[in-house]
C-alpha cells in the first residue's frame, strides 16, 4: 500500500527496484504482516527500515455470477440513470432553468448512454464470456524485511509478539 507520508529520501523511490534487507518475519496473510509492522511501530522501532514483500504472486479471478441480457440491460439502465441524475443536476445549475426538466432530460440521456455502453461490449463477446468476475492480485505469503543495521533488534521485538 502507498502512503502519502512516505519519505522521498528512501532508496528506490521513483523507479521500481527489488526489495532489500534481511528477513525478520514471514506471514501467511497481509493482515498478519501489517500487524507485525504495527507492533514494531508501537514499540518505537524505526519502521522506515522495514518493507513488506508479497511473495509467490497469483492473479485470482473470482466468478461472482452469470451474465444474461436482462442483467446487462438492467445494469446499463441503473448506471446510466445515476449518471443522468448527476448530469441533470449539473445542467440545472449551469442553465439556471427548471431543475425537474433538466433532471428528466439528464436521466433519459443517461439511460440511453448506459444501455449503449453496456450492450455493445456484451454483444461483442458473442457469448464467450457469460459471467461476471473480479480480479485480485494475491500473494502466497508476506515477508517482512528490515535493513541489516537494525534487523536483529526487529527480530527480537517480533519474537515477543509471537509469545
Amino acid at each position: 500500500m502507498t502512503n502519502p507520508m512516505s519519505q522521498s529520501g528512501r532508496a528506490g523511490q521513483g523507479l521500481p527496484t527489488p526489495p532489500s534487507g534481511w528477513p525478520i518475519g514471514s506471514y501467511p496473510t497481509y493482515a498478519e504482516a501489517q500487524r507485525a509492522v504495527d507492533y514494531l511501530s508501537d514499540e518505537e522501532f524505526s519502521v522506515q527500515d522495514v518493507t513488506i514483500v508479497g511473495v509467490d504472486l497469483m492473479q485470482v479471478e473470482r466468478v461472482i455470477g452469470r451474465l444474461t441480457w436482462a442483467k446487462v440491460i438492467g445494469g446499463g439502465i441503473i448506471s446510466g440513470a445515476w449518471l443522468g441524475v448527476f448530469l441533470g443536476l449539473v445542467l440545472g445549475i449551469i442553465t439556471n432553468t427548471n431543475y425537474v426538466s433538466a433532471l428528466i432530460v439528464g436521466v433519459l440521456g443517461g439511460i440511453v448512454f448506459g444501455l449503449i455502453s453496456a450492450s455493445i461490449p456484451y454483444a461483442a463477446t458473442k457469448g464467450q464470456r457469460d459471467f461476471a468476475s473480479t480480479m485480485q492480485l494475491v500473494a502466497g505469503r508476506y515477508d517482512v524485511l528490515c535493513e541489516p543495521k537494525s534487523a536483529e533488534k526487529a527480530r527480537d521485538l517480533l519474537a515477543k509478539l509471537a509469545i
Side-chain angles (χ1 to χ4, degrees):
M1 298 196 140
T2 59
N3 183 348
M5 301 288 294
S6 65
Q7 297 179 3
S8 59
R10 186 167 179 179
Q13 290 290 339
L15 297 175
T17 58
S20 64
W22 291 356
I24 57 172
S26 186
Y27 303 91
T29 66
Y30 178 78
E32 291 176 77
Q34 187 177 11
R35 179 175 166 253
V37 175
D38 185 56
Y39 176 77
L40 291 173
S41 177
D42 292 345
E43 295 296 315
E44 298 184 10
F45 181 80
S46 60
V47 291
Q48 63 270 18
D49 293 340
V50 176
T51 305
I52 298 174
V53 180
V55 181
D56 297 330
L57 296 179
M58 299 171 271
Q59 181 175 319
V60 178
E61 181 176 11
R62 299 189 195 283
V63 177
I64 56 176
R66 186 173 190 275
L67 279 182
T68 63
W69 272 108
K71 287 182 182 179
V72 170
I73 289 171
I77 289 173
I78 291 171
S79 65
W82 275 113
L83 176 66
V85 166
F86 173 73
L87 293 177
L89 291 174
V90 170
L91 182 65
I93 292 170
I94 291 174
T95 61
N96 202 15
T97 60
N98 184 0
Y99 282 104
V100 174
S101 61
L103 195 58
I104 291 172
V105 168
V107 169
L108 290 176
I111 288 173
V112 169
F113 177 78
L115 280 171
I116 292 170
S117 65
S119 299
I120 291 175
Y122 182 69
T125 65
K126 297 179 182 172
Q128 295 297 310
R129 188 168 171 91
D130 286 337
F131 61 92
S133 63
T134 61
M135 295 285 245
Q136 292 178 310
L137 192 60
V138 181
R141 73 172 193 277
Y142 296 87
D143 291 343
V144 179
L145 306 180
C146 184
E147 294 298 319
K149 65 184 179 189
S150 51
E152 187 175 339
K153 180 181 177 186
R155 272 194 212 112
D156 291 345
L157 286 171
L158 290 178
K160 292 177 187 175
L161 176 64
I163 294 175

